[in-house]
Amino acid sequence: MLHHMTSEPEQQIGVGTQDAFQRLWTPHRMAYIQGENKPTGPGADDGCPFCSIPAKSDEDGLIVKRGEQVYAVLNLYPYNGGHLMVVPYRHVADYTDLTGPETAELGELTKQAMTALRTASGAHGFNIGMNQGTVAGAGIAAHLHQHIVPRWGGDTNFMPVVGHTKVLPQLLADTREMLAEAWPRP
């Protein structure tokens, strides 16, 4: 048992009615909730993070793979460990606006991401998709991005269901390195 920890529940002032639960704080989520790193407008020059990430090093930008038309990057606010996004370099909002080569490479990097995630983490399945428009749930609607969320049997337990909290056991930098090493080579 950790120093200062007891098996008895501790009442925490300011968190509501005592309910015998300890609290697992995830303050990093507040940045996402408050809109940190979100664009100020729809244009590429309005602070779009997907436009600025490619100018960074792979490590600083959390880029796992660079293609000619699109790149694969870790989600800064992941739903699950290894949550990737495939993003076109071009600032485009709608899937129907992609060129043929962009669409083809987006599909190919999605397949490669699945292979890398299976190799690196033994993912059992995936949620893959994109939210088109703010009303459909897109956090950054002005720049298209496809989510690739690895899933494992039993990965939804009491923490997200009851506690509304995800436990991510690995730092993003470590996840990026692991996936980059597992990425399929041509």
Side-chain angles (χ1 to χ4, degrees), residues 133-154:
T134 304
V135 298
I140 300 176
H143 198 133
L144 177 84
H145 53 286
Q146 178 163 272
H147 296 267
I148 303 156
V149 182
R151 302 298 305 270
W152 297 268

Side-chain angles (χ1 to χ4, degrees), residues 53 56-64 66 73-74 172-174 176-177 180:
I53 288 171
K56 299 177 181 181
S57 70
D58 289 355
E59 292 76 14
D60 290 342
L62 298 175
I63 296 171
V64 179
R66 292 176 189 260
V73 62
L74 285 174
L172 288 174
D174 295 337
R176 192 215 69 79
E177 184 177 340

